[in-house]
Amino acid sequence: MTEPVVHPTAIVAEGATLGRGVRIGPYSMVGKNVVLGDNVELVSHAVIDGNTTIGAGSRIFPFASIGHEPQDLKYHGENSRLEIGERCTIREAVTINPGTEGGGMLTKVGNDCLIMANAHVAHDAIIGNNVVMANYVGIAGHVHVGDNVIFGGTCVIHQFTRIGSHAFIGAQSMVDGDVIPYGMAVGNRAVLTGLNLVGLKRRKFDREAIHRLRAAYRQIFASEGTLRERVEDAAALFKDDALVQDVVQFIADGGDRPILLPKNGHESDR
């Protein structure tokens, strides 16, 4: 099947672009500036509006609200955008808002993401590939999330926070600081509780690389010296290790939020 199939009860505005094999289910609405890639499916009752692009093969379930104006009092109708990648699954009642002038004018979700029911992605958030958000996750404005991050249910991420690639955020956590790549954060307010070893093993990271990452973690979050000194020492000691350098660079780059630390500043990883 190549021609789009639109249910008689659905409303597709003139100007919308529908790719090959698009299916638009009952009572769905598609705005005039929306682009649906090949084989996108709106199961039913989904509403897509604004300058929104949905990548090929993505599926959007009932009562999702995608591309409507941001929940930001500083938004004044600027022509901002929302981009959602290929093969994403967006479940019931998810809300995703476009960007704002104050944040780069773009909200972006990568490829192969699973966003479960009632989750929210706010304006100017940048979400990587293969990200999983469980039910009721709240991603605030200007948050940056790396690839392969998993969020447990009902957790909330503070605005301007960075979540490094391959991190794990435990259920019911409130995260108000940057989480290092490969890290694991849990709690309200969340603390760094170690490395996401389960995720690393499931993704078949090299065993020796994991051992080196654990050693670097212990060094970076030890009790002696300052964090900057410990990061510099780890960078030199593990200069040829890609995983450690990911962590070192993430910390060095800095952001608007502080780096999330272990509870006592130097807990060992689990």
Side-chain angles (χ1 to χ4, degrees):
M1 183 182 300
T2 58
E3 293 300 315
V5 176
V6 180
H7 192 274
T9 61
I11 298 175
V12 178
E14 184 177 353
T17 301
L18 308 184
R20 295 161 63 90
V22 165
R23 291 174 290 170
I24 299 178
Y27 301 101
S28 295
M29 299 181 67
V30 178
K32 64 181 181 179
N33 295 320
V34 171
V35 177
L36 302 183
D38 293 348
N39 300 308
V40 166
E41 179 184 8
L42 310 185
V43 175
S44 75
H45 298 82
V47 183
I48 320 295
D49 206 358
N51 297 307
T52 298
T53 300
I54 311 291
S58 293
R59 302 181 72 211
I60 301 179
F61 282 73
F63 306 107
S65 175
I66 310 299
H68 291 86
E69 65 181 59
Q71 300 175 91
D72 183 353
L73 294 175
K74 299 183 296 298
Y75 177 77
H76 297 294
E78 52 264 34
N79 196 30
S80 57
R81 297 179 294 124
L82 168 62
E83 296 179 5
I84 295 175
E86 299 180 354
R87 299 175 301 278
C88 289
T89 300
I90 299 173
R91 295 304 305 248
E92 294 80 0
V94 166
T95 53
I96 307 178
N97 298 151
T100 65
E101 185 176 4
M105 298 285 283
L106 173 68
T107 302
K108 186 173 183 178
V109 176
N111 300 326
D112 300 296
C113 293
L114 170 58
I115 304 179
M116 298 186 198
N118 295 282
H120 174 65
V121 178
H123 58 90
D124 305 293
I126 304 296
I127 311 297
N129 302 316
N130 299 296
V131 171
V132 177
M133 299 181 195
N135 296 11
Y136 296 97
V137 168
I139 304 293
H142 311 278
V143 169
H144 281 221
V145 177
D147 296 340
N148 299 292
V149 175
I150 296 178
F151 296 91
T154 66
C155 67
V156 179
I157 312 301
H158 193 284
Q159 63 182 351
F160 293 100
T161 297
R162 298 178 300 149
I163 309 294
S165 296
H166 296 277
F168 179 87
I169 310 301
Q172 298 184 327
S173 296
M174 197 293 156
V175 180
D176 61 356
D178 292 348
V179 180
I180 60 170
Y182 317 107
M184 181 166 59
V186 179
N188 182 12
R189 307 285 175 137
V191 295
L192 193 64
T193 58
L195 294 171
N196 183 18
L197 297 177
V198 172
L200 290 170
K201 291 173 183 176
R202 285 177 177 172
R203 297 182 186 115
K204 302 188 184 304
F205 277 74
D206 178 75
R207 185 171 182 174
E208 291 304 315
I210 294 175
H211 287 326
R212 291 191 296 272
L213 184 61
R214 294 180 72 178
Y217 178 95
R218 293 190 182 101
Q219 179 173 350
I220 290 170
F221 297 106
S223 57
E224 299 83 12
T226 66
L227 177 61
R228 175 175 293 188
E229 292 170 339
R230 298 192 300 265
V231 169
E232 291 174 350
D233 290 344
L237 185 60
F238 300 94
K239 62 181 180 180
D240 297 322
D241 188 281
L243 303 191
V244 175
Q245 292 302 319
D246 284 346
V247 176
V248 167
Q249 191 61 52
F250 182 90
I251 296 173
D253 287 344
D256 295 281
R257 305 296 301 168
I259 295 292
L260 211 65
L261 299 173
K263 185 174 182 180
N264 299 316
H266 53 84
E267 285 188 5
S268 61
D269 60 305
R270 295 181 179 179

